[in-house]
Amino acid sequence: MAQTALPPRSAFPEGFQFGTATSAYQIEGHGFGGAGPTHWDSFAATPGNVENAENGAVACDHYHRWAADLDLIAGAGFDAYRFSTSWARILPDGWGTPNPDGLAFYDRLIDGMLERGIRPAATLYHWELPQALADIGGWRNRETPRRFADFAELIGRNYGDRLWSTAPINEPMCVAWLSHFDGMLAPGMRDIRATARAVHHVLLGHGLAIAALRGQGVGNLGAVVNLEWAHPASENPEDVQAAARYDAIYNRMFLGPLFEGAYPDLVLEGLGLHLPERWEDEFGTIRAPLDWLGLNYYTCKRLASVPGPWPHYAERPGPLPVTDMEWEIYPDGLRDFLIRTTQEYSGDLPLYVTENGLAAGQRTGDPSGTEDPSRIAYLASHLEAVQAALAAGVPLKGYFVWSLLDNYEWALGYAKRFGLVHVDFDTLDRTPKASYHALRQALRQDGT
Ligand code: IFM
């Protein structure tokens, strides 16, 4: 594949933020530093849930190698680093007495970013629920959003004055739907009632956490949703309706409550019966004003109508080239989501692309794993989509690459490589890939 150049920083508006993103359980090494057990540990320990039954106990050992990892971020010329705080590392039981080593780890990490001129962009929850909360029903139990707000308050008190931006929950869709309806992520449930409760409680947890953070004087607060463009598998009206239903569930189920104080009708037709009591009264909390909105974008889906229970759709393969995740590469979806979200939900609110990237490397035959022309081409095409959205007037303020390092891709274990930096999972050595060097060349203005 021919090497594609990435657009230089000067091709974006003044002050546009470039960053890279990771999450705690995917890189830190959850077995280190006195972190408490999480539902991802139990999910991974259950046969059949995760490829090779791999877990995050060691991951990339970022817990010990954080300083070298921050050097890599600074070396590439990134402005910001989107990381997440592990709830169970800080509160091993989910509530109660904090783990001093956990608190100290994020002190070191945040100070390390500031020392290197990197803006700390925190996410409070990126999926590893403390086991003690999973034991009382996790996000199905409305106690969990209350405990989450307490955790948010603790984060605000300890780190709030040093954080550049903060978002409570990464990808509510994955936390609620893929985990309770599709069973793909911990806790691996397939239950419509559990799903409805998790959806609503995740939203409530978001709103309560925003209030708790504001109460601690923390500013620049946002929400991060993940979106997939939904194409009908054919022009058949039933497939068109299947795509609309997928769009409502996947893309609008959280944006609707956050910006309009309502679930889409196509969501209520399935989940309405199962929502917790008095759900309509809680949009005041859920709609807490935000300072920015983050969109995570990777791919599109093709939906066909199928018989059987709601939501009556199934995914079909599409014609576009796919990544190692079998996800079609569809940069137009990023442009169109940025425009649509601005027009239909967020108006003038600053937007960020908080995740974008691809899994590549399983198929190249490059033994070092560092030649990744498909990643450079993917980033180039999606940065072009970003530029098109900017030209259309979208108030887009930044773009974060997923991910800094090859890491734990949840139920797919360590086989899917999303990193700009290759990780050898035997030695844990890091080697920047060609995409890292291409980004460095595009971002650094000092000619080095
Ligand atoms: O690795 C995940 C991340 O945890 C959440 N967003 C999507 C990424 C790639 O699947």
Side-chain angles (χ1 to χ4, degrees), residues 226-287:
N226 54 314
L227 306 175
E228 288 187 351
W229 198 265
H231 292 291
S234 78
E235 286 170 15
N236 172 335
E238 277 138 32
D239 289 350
V240 172
Q241 183 65 4
R245 202 174 295 112
Y246 187 90
D247 186 40
I249 294 169
Y250 206 101
N251 302 319
R252 300 182 186 274
M253 184 157 68
F254 296 96
L255 289 175
L258 289 174
F259 288 97
E260 298 171 329
Y263 289 110
D265 289 343
L266 288 174
V267 165
L268 288 177
E269 91 187 0
L271 297 189
L273 258 184
H274 304 289
L275 285 164
E277 269 176 40
R278 295 188 306 281
W279 58 272
E280 297 96 328
D281 301 340
E282 292 178 320
F283 288 119
T285 306
I286 291 167
R287 289 183 79 178

Side-chain angles (χ1 to χ4, degrees), residues 5-20:
L6 295 176
R9 186 185 276 282
S10 56
F12 295 85
E14 180 78 29
F16 193 84
Q17 297 293 297
F18 284 94
T20 186

